[in-house]
Amino acid sequence: MYTIEFLPSAKKELKKLDFVVQKQLKEKIVLLATDPDTLKNNIKALKGEYSGKFRLRVGSYRVIFQIIDEQVLIIVVRIGHRKEIY
């Protein structure tokens, strides 16, 4: 099981969203931390500016995160609507 950390900017972006969307995102992030293989169809490696990071698709919203296997850690970098996140 991975530990989850949010960057301060990601926390702020999450708090700006509707409560229902926040709940959906939190459930998926917890599922990502416990068993990432169940979400493998919704996870994609990113290129360019976010090279080395991954995105998790949750409906119309995206969670940009980084995995550090040595520390068993997932760092949530950004959260937002798909039109605004990239």
Side-chain angles (χ1 to χ4, degrees), residues 35-47:
D35 188 16
D37 291 335
T38 59
L39 296 171
K40 67 181 177 185
N41 292 337
N42 294 328
I43 296 174
K44 183 177 179 182
L46 298 176
K47 300 176 185 176

Side-chain angles (χ1 to χ4, degrees), residues 16-61:
K16 288 181 181 179
L17 301 174
D18 290 339
F19 178 75
V20 175
V21 175
Q22 284 183 25
K23 187 176 177 184
Q24 290 174 341
L25 288 167
K26 287 177 185 176
E27 288 174 358
K28 292 291 183 175
I29 291 170
V30 169
L31 185 59
L32 174 68
T34 55
D35 188 16
D37 291 335
T38 59
L39 296 171
K40 67 181 177 185
N41 292 337
N42 294 328
I43 296 174
K44 183 177 179 182
L46 298 176
K47 300 176 185 176
E49 177 184 348
Y50 292 110
S51 181
K53 295 176 178 61
F54 300 88
R55 71 108 167 110
L56 171 64
R57 184 175 53 129
V58 183
S60 295
Y61 290 86

